[in-house]
Amino acid sequence: MTQLKLLLTTFLLFANTIFAQCQENNCDRHTKFGDVNLCLAKIEGYQEAYSIPLVKELADGTEVPANTVLGFYLNDETYQRANELGQFEFDDYFKIYGTKQLMNYKANKESLKEMYAVLSDNFFTKNWDTMEKEVDKISQGIEIGVPIVIKSYYTSENSFTYVMITKYQPEGQEPYSLAMTMNGMVIQERLIWMAYYLNYEGEETIATLQSNSDRIVSTILKNN
């Protein structure tokens, strides 16, 4: 090997090591989904908390059996009280999860389009441009437990977003409305989901919801 080739090889090895370290530093932790190693990226304003027993119990207990939770993020304020969950109400959190049956299915951009279309056919949709004119009446007209899609769009060629509003009524409490995004992402040839939640308090909630959700999805994709 010539001296020039030796220098180039050494440089590339060094650069790859630095790159790998940078990626590692941008992850709160790694998790497995099938045979894929996913980076649960550091997200400004949030902390990944699934390893905390009470958080894991809550996350697993509210997920459908067909899915597996991969990561669960609380905002910085809620994270400080993570061991008290269940004793107070909170929002502004998100989860990353996968569908067990698709754990080893190799997904691509076409798979993402198919899933986008499937969701479109299976949710009740209303037009936000019409709804926002009567924004104060939205929460009153939503049936408990029925998500209403108000927007859907591609955030990138590898991700899409559905913006929804739904109403909950916990036992013994007044009903309240929750705004959420459901995000589909293709990461390392796997279909990964992310859902982000905010208490619905009017039109401004939707803008905040979309802004935060888009930033989170972008950061996750960038670090995988």
Side-chain angles (χ1 to χ4, degrees):
M1 183 179 291
T2 65
Q3 185 175 8
L4 178 58
K5 285 184 178 180
L6 179 61
L7 287 171
L8 286 173
T9 302
T10 303
F11 171 76
L12 288 172
L13 288 172
F14 176 76
N16 286 336
T17 300
I18 294 299
F19 178 71
Q21 289 175 344
C22 287
Q23 283 194 313
E24 178 71 26
N25 290 339
N26 286 330
C27 302
D28 266 341
R29 65 179 178 87
H30 285 84
T31 189
K32 298 286 287 186
F33 184 59
D35 57 1
V36 169
N37 192 34
L38 296 175
C39 165
L40 295 174
K42 292 181 179 179
I43 309 292
E44 184 178 355
Y46 300 87
Q47 301 289 334
E48 205 285 309
Y50 188 62
S51 58
I52 298 174
L54 192 57
V55 176
K56 185 179 189 306
E57 181 182 348
L58 172 68
D60 292 345
T62 55
E63 190 54 74
V64 298
N67 294 335
T68 181
V69 178
L70 303 172
F72 200 93
Y73 288 71
L74 304 172
N75 68 23
D76 290 342
E77 182 178 352
T78 304
Y79 183 78
Q80 298 302 316
R81 302 179 64 189
N83 289 312
E84 301 173 31
L85 292 189
Q87 301 177 36
F88 65 96
E89 295 181 4
F90 68 96
D91 68 335
D92 191 18
Y93 65 94
F94 64 95
K95 63 181 178 181
I96 300 170
Y97 59 105
T99 302
K100 293 175 183 176
Q101 286 189 326
L102 300 179
M103 189 175 294
N104 293 309
Y105 171 75
K106 288 193 174 182
N108 54 31
K109 294 172 186 176
E110 289 304 313
S111 308
L112 198 70
K113 290 180 182 178
E114 291 175 11
M115 192 57 66
Y116 184 86
V118 167
L119 291 178
S120 179
D121 292 338
N122 284 275
F123 282 113
F124 185 70
T125 303
K126 286 189 176 182
N127 188 292
W128 175 247
D129 291 337
T130 300
M131 291 177 71
E132 66 178 341
K133 294 176 183 177
E134 298 183 334
V135 68
D136 293 332
K137 299 179 183 179
I138 291 175
S139 61
Q140 300 173 22
I142 296 176
E143 185 179 344
I144 291 174
V146 179
I148 303 296
V149 175
I150 59 173
K151 294 182 182 181
S152 63
Y153 54 93
Y154 280 89
T155 47
S156 74
E157 61 181 8
N158 289 312
S159 61
F160 64 73
T161 295
Y162 273 77
V163 181
M164 307 178 185
I165 299 177
T166 190
K167 183 181 285 186
Y168 289 95
Q169 186 170 19
E171 187 175 351
Q173 300 181 34
E174 289 294 316
Y176 68 95
S177 294
L178 193 66
M180 62 176 287
T181 60
M182 177 182 287
N183 308 272
M185 302 175 284
V186 172
I187 298 175
Q188 299 181 47
E189 297 186 315
R190 295 295 181 272
L191 184 61
I192 306 296
W193 298 98
M194 192 273 281
Y196 172 63
Y197 304 87
L198 272 183
N199 286 340
Y200 180 75
E201 298 177 351
E203 181 181 352
E204 67 282 354
T205 301
I206 301 303
T208 302
L209 181 84
Q210 285 186 248
S211 176
N212 290 350
S213 177
D214 290 352
R215 175 174 67 89
I216 292 164
V217 169
S218 176
T219 304
I220 293 169
L221 290 174
K222 181 180 179 181
N223 286 281
N224 280 279

